[in-house]
Amino acid sequence: MINHSRFVTGAPSGIGLQLATTDVNAVIGGYLRDLAFAQSSQPKMFGYKRAAAAILALEEPFTDLVGPDGALPRISGIGPASTRVIREILDTGESPTVEHAIEQSDRRADIERRRQLRRHFLSRAEVRRVLSDPTFAGPSLEQYQGDLQMHSEWSDGRPTVQEIADACLQRGYQYAAVTDHSYGLTIAGGMSMPEAAEQRRAIDAVNAWGGARFKMLQGIEANIDTTGQLDLTDDEAATFDVVLAAPHSRLRRSEDQTGRMLAAIAHPAVRILAHPRGRITGSRAGVIADWDAVFALAAQRGVAIEIDGDPARQDIDHTLASRAFEAGCVIALDSDAHTTTQLSYAETALAHARLAGVPAERIVNCWPLDRLLAWLSNPSSEGRR
Ligand SMILES: [Zn+2]
């Protein structure tokens, strides 16, 4: 039986209290992912990964979904074996079943490594809790005016630019930047310059339709190469309304890459350092760098440091974001959406900004369009405050 009251009332039971104050869905999702990686059968591994993903995407903490009689809810994608693990975690805060499976596998070291790579990731339910908790000083969803990283059919995204505009208007945005990959990143369907010119005409049509209600910017997600240079010439970069620079290689190295990141920020066209580390939950740590040095240069130049809200990225997280803010950086909060439903990933970025205590004033997405455009044409105007 579940001692339901422990989680609801926060009765002074060590583990129950801990679960009541932590991101319970992240704890459950983590154990289910551990269990996935302890499997030798591929179908079982994928099954537990799916179960973990279903828990991490729940809108409510699991503790709120338990019936008064202790019954667990039925959730699509979660089978009886996963349910047993969830029951153990709700009862005790841990899962002997998962620990036993890890013991039986020969993968303990790999699983411990993956556990370290899940730090400072929020579940969807935790994102919603942080957004609705008035004690955080950071930006609210209502203050968020537009999203500055997303992908369309012109690279590896699904929607047309018109579908993106419709979805952004439904979310109440004033503006958005479509930021497809540039041609150097062929693996992500990078857009050639002739394609970019064609996309520009499609965006012009969206803006003619949107009028004063909505402004779509043509951005580009340039790839930062191993030396910190971009996969665009200066003339090519100048054709876009906003240039994001992001690392997509050398993301599993242990050596310091501060120089690479400083070079990218020093590039005169760059306005946003996107998913700065390139980390992926439970998989890779991304770029290792002296982030305080990177933030100091970004603050000086007025380059925004991004919090990428893709649930698997959450890059940078709130711990680094508070250091970027302290250094004087402006911050960008973006979804990195590849479908229109993924535009909600911006909320993950907002939650990290709230946890980091970054005020709306220092978040480029919370500015009115005229201030955003002024910053894009002269970034140092918003440099260190
Ligand atoms: Zn990227």
Side-chain angles (χ1 to χ4, degrees), residues 19-62:
L19 266 191
T21 54
T22 56
D23 184 349
V24 62
N25 292 5
V27 173
I28 295 172
Y31 271 115
L32 291 174
R33 281 181 161 265
D34 289 347
L35 192 53
F37 289 110
Q39 304 303 310
S40 45
S41 133
Q42 286 256 329
K44 281 190 175 175
M45 182 186 78
F46 286 123
Y48 289 122
K49 276 189 172 181
R50 265 198 306 278
I55 294 289
L56 292 169
L58 287 175
E59 298 286 315
E60 308 291 337
F62 210 92

Side-chain angles (χ1 to χ4, degrees), residues 94-142:
E94 45 200 51
S95 172
T97 299
V98 173
E99 294 300 337
H100 181 74
I102 297 171
E103 245 9 274
Q104 297 300 302
S105 77
D106 54 358
R107 311 223 170 96
R108 159 89 46 199
D110 180 56
I111 288 168
E112 291 293 349
R113 180 187 68 84
R114 290 177 184 280
R115 283 178 169 173
Q116 291 304 312
L117 296 172
R118 287 199 295 261
R119 295 182 65 209
H120 309 306
F121 279 89
L122 311 177
S123 72
R124 171 67 185 167
E126 180 67 0
V127 165
R128 282 171 46 93
R129 187 190 71 78
V130 170
L131 288 183
S132 63
D133 183 341
T135 60
F136 291 109
S140 67
L141 192 49
E142 291 69 34

Side-chain angles (χ1 to χ4, degrees), residues 149 151 181 185 221 246-248 274-275 308 313 336:
Q149 194 201 154
H151 301 268
H181 294 282
L185 205 63
E221 183 183 351
H248 299 94
H275 57 74
D308 183 310
R313 291 188 180 273
D336 198 355

Side-chain angles (χ1 to χ4, degrees), residues 28 30 52 62 89 93 115 121 173 175 177 186 233 244 263 292 321 326 335:
I28 295 172
F62 210 92
I89 297 167
R115 283 178 169 173
F121 279 89
Y173 296 169
Y175 53 79
T186 44
T233 67
L244 282 57
D292 295 315
E326 291 299 329
S335 67

